[in-house]
Amino acid sequence: MIKNPHFDVVYGDAGDHAYVDFTDVDVRIPMFVYLSREKRPGYDHNKKAGAMNAMVRASAVLSNGPFMLNFDCDHYVYNCQAIREAMCYMLDRGGDRICYIQFPQRFEGIDPSDRYANHNTVFFDGNMRALDGLQGPMYVGTGCLFRRYAIYGFNPPRVTEYHGVVGQTKVPIDAHTRSAGGDEELRPLTDHPDHEAPQRFGKSKTFVESIAVAEYQGRPLQDHPSVRNGRPPGALLMPRPPLDAATVAEAVSLISCWYEDSTEWGLRVGWIYGSVTEDVVTGYRMHNRGWRSVYCITKRDAFRGTAPINLTDRLHQVLRWATGSVEIFFSKNNALCASRRLMFLQRMSYLNVGIYPFTSLFLIMYCLLPALSLFSGQFIVATLDPTFLCYLLLITTTLILLCLLEVKWSGIGLEEWWRNEQFWVIGGTSAHLAAVLQGLLKVTAGIEISFTLTAKAAAEDDDDPYAELYLIKWTSLFIPPLAIIGINIIAMVVGVSRCVYAEIPQYSKLLGGGFFSFWVLAHYYPFAKGLMGRRGRTPTLVYVWAGLISITVSLLWITISPPDDRISQGGIEV
């Protein structure tokens, strides 16, 4: 730990460096604390949410900054002015109702073609921008500046402005808040009184006293008549007392596992436990209380990180996100159970977070329907009446307009948009389907399954920065896409054979079914390319699975629709 610097400015000397003059430069080093939380089996400290809660409590007694920056260990600060821009939102008029500032995620080390849509530009530059016009973007787990007071589970100031919900009044503040510089405070009636603070935040008196101070320090400046919950300029210009051994010992006790016993940490306070995607749940709880968030896109990227460029690792990442979404859907954090403070369109966006993995069931049908039409010899649509054509035209026009809006708002090219569509099909028929299966088994039978992976072939050139892209690992998530690819290829062969050997060839049905099967296979091109590695060598295990799937589908089709043993030719049975 590097302790708090002296509150007076300390300038450097001309001789401190051979090439740079530090005589007019403040050389004080900010306070730095490395925190290693206690880990024991059965406690949530082993996960990200528990680690963040431990950090919040320890930092409250060490520094108690009103704002906290959170990003993953594989991210780093790329723009040192990004935090200043986020602070402008927090301290502006109405900024006291902002719970966090979310920055877009930018990644390095991704292959130039972005084969597996790691940049996810449509989501970060399209969907999140749209949410910024509502109650605010979702919390995506990294690159986020939080208001400490909002983390503690309190309602925002002037909460009654949200849909007329009653739950706020002016009450006298306690001695701790007066010492922070105020005379009265807007406190929600639903908050616990002081004697229930240990049951909510724990038994640390030092931590409970820091809450009111952090809330007051995070208020915007009272330099405009419209600022209703501000603080006068200069109220915080006071020296901070130095840290003593007792304060450090209190911080150590706050990060122990037993501290959260019989408290609301992880339930209503701090990062919420019980979900793989605890970041989305934490942001949802804040929006549900009436807080707002802001999406801040800086001219220069605020933060940058790394992303898995390997096919298997990318699918397992998507599986983890989708599994968390299914858990949210079957929990009390479902947006259907939200309070009236959550705006309608914001509710729809959170509802989509829990529903989107279930679209994999319809996507599987979409990918298999062309193959079934080729197997049966019937076109996908029995009759093309005017009503159906009008409906099809309306749906097609809507999809085209949606695609154009995504391209325009996201500022991407058609190639990147096409990569995003391809991986949506790949991930939807593999990781999303597995997440739905996991969620249903866990909810209905209490069974938890895991999809393991096994390395099959490694990249030969270690000097290639994209060598990981060609790493081939087998995982059971490959089975559904392989089945869809094999079934569509067999269906095209069956359709061509039926058309060639038929007395009256029906080329229109063949072209229609073949086109849609080819359209499905085109979406799986990055998947097939990933299985072939750098030199196009497909692992033997892939051929084995493809052969087993093809044989199974063929036998199943023969069982469902056995061939007729009578072949008619010229009206004579042979």
Side-chain angles (χ1 to χ4, degrees), residues 321-466:
W321 295 341
T323 302
S325 298
V326 175
E327 292 175 351
I328 292 174
F329 181 79
F330 288 110
S331 69
K332 62 181 179 181
N333 296 311
N334 193 313
L336 294 176
C337 306
S339 68
R340 295 173 57 191
R341 299 189 188 117
L342 195 67
M343 296 181 180
F344 175 75
L345 292 180
Q346 191 81 9
R347 187 190 303 263
M348 292 297 101
S349 65
Y350 274 111
L351 186 63
N352 176 68
V353 171
I355 287 179
Y356 81 88
F358 294 93
T359 59
S360 59
L361 303 176
F362 303 96
L363 190 58
I364 290 286
M365 297 172 56
Y366 175 86
C367 294
L368 292 179
L369 191 59
L372 295 179
S373 68
L374 289 174
F375 277 130
S376 62
Q378 303 293 329
F379 193 58
I380 298 176
V381 181
T383 57
L384 297 176
D385 55 358
T387 303
F388 174 78
L389 290 177
C390 293
Y391 175 77
L392 182 62
L393 179 62
L394 178 63
I395 294 296
T396 305
T397 305
T398 303
L399 291 176
I400 292 175
L401 291 177
L402 179 61
C403 297
L404 292 177
L405 286 176
E406 288 180 346
V407 171
K408 180 178 178 57
W409 288 349
S410 304
I412 61 176
L414 291 177
E415 181 181 2
E416 189 173 356
W417 174 85
W418 174 239
R419 286 283 184 266
N420 188 79
E421 294 295 310
Q422 285 178 315
F423 191 78
W424 171 70
V425 176
I426 296 171
T429 55
S430 57
H432 295 174
L433 183 64
V436 173
L437 179 62
Q438 276 185 330
L440 293 177
L441 288 177
K442 184 177 180 180
V443 171
T444 58
I447 301 175
E448 295 189 12
I449 59 176
S450 60
F451 295 86
T452 58
L453 54 91
T454 305
K456 289 298 175 183
E460 299 176 1
D461 188 6
D462 296 334
D463 297 332
D464 189 353
Y466 308 116

Side-chain angles (χ1 to χ4, degrees), residues 498-559:
R498 178 184 288 111
C499 188
V500 170
Y501 292 102
E503 294 183 0
I504 304 177
Q506 297 181 349
Y507 292 104
S508 59
K509 294 182 178 179
L510 175 63
L511 291 176
F515 170 78
F516 287 112
S517 288
F518 176 78
W519 179 249
V520 171
L521 294 175
H523 283 79
Y524 284 98
Y525 173 73
F527 176 82
K529 194 173 181 180
L531 292 180
M532 292 185 293
R534 180 191 298 274
R535 304 185 183 279
R537 299 174 181 174
T538 306
T540 305
L541 190 60
V542 174
Y543 288 112
V544 172
W545 272 105
L548 291 175
I549 292 172
S550 302
I551 294 173
T552 303
V553 171
S554 301
L555 294 176
L556 183 62
W557 180 255
I558 292 175
T559 303

Side-chain angles (χ1 to χ4, degrees), residues 219-271:
R219 295 182 182 182
L221 292 177
Q222 210 168 29
D223 57 355
H224 194 276
S226 64
V227 176
R228 300 171 56 184
N229 187 37
R231 54 177 170 81
L236 303 181
L237 295 178
M238 59 186 70
R240 179 169 296 179
L243 295 176
D244 53 6
T247 305
V248 177
E250 185 72 14
V252 173
S253 65
L254 286 169
I255 64 177
S256 60
C257 292
W258 54 265
Y259 183 83
E260 294 186 356
D261 294 343
S262 302
T263 65
E264 294 187 4
W265 283 99
L267 300 176
R268 298 179 181 86
V269 179
W271 271 254

Side-chain angles (χ1 to χ4, degrees), residues 13-22:
D13 298 330
D16 287 347
H17 198 278
Y19 302 101
V20 183
D21 186 6
F22 284 94

Side-chain angles (χ1 to χ4, degrees), residues 100-112:
Y100 60 83
I101 308 294
Q102 178 64 61
F103 293 89
Q105 292 189 28
R106 306 302 186 195
F107 303 102
E108 294 178 340
I110 298 176
D111 56 298

Side-chain angles (χ1 to χ4, degrees), residues 33-46:
V33 180
Y34 177 79
L35 194 68
S36 179
R37 79 273 190 189
E38 182 182 3
K39 293 184 179 181
R40 291 190 182 185
Y43 287 88
D44 289 292
H45 281 202
N46 297 327

Side-chain angles (χ1 to χ4, degrees), residues 66-67 86-102 132 135-137 145-151 156-158 162 218 220 286-287 290-295:
F67 307 109
M87 296 293 294
C88 291
Y89 286 105
M90 291 288 194
L91 300 178
D92 198 4
R93 296 191 297 271
D96 53 345
R97 293 186 296 179
I98 297 176
C99 56
Y100 60 83
I101 308 294
Q102 178 64 61
D132 195 30
Q135 206 165 337
L145 183 74
F146 279 94
R147 182 182 299 275
R148 181 184 291 271
Y149 185 71
I151 292 291
R158 305 181 300 283
Y162 293 90
M286 295 181 182
H287 285 144
W291 290 95
R292 301 181 65 90
S293 60
V294 172
Y295 196 54

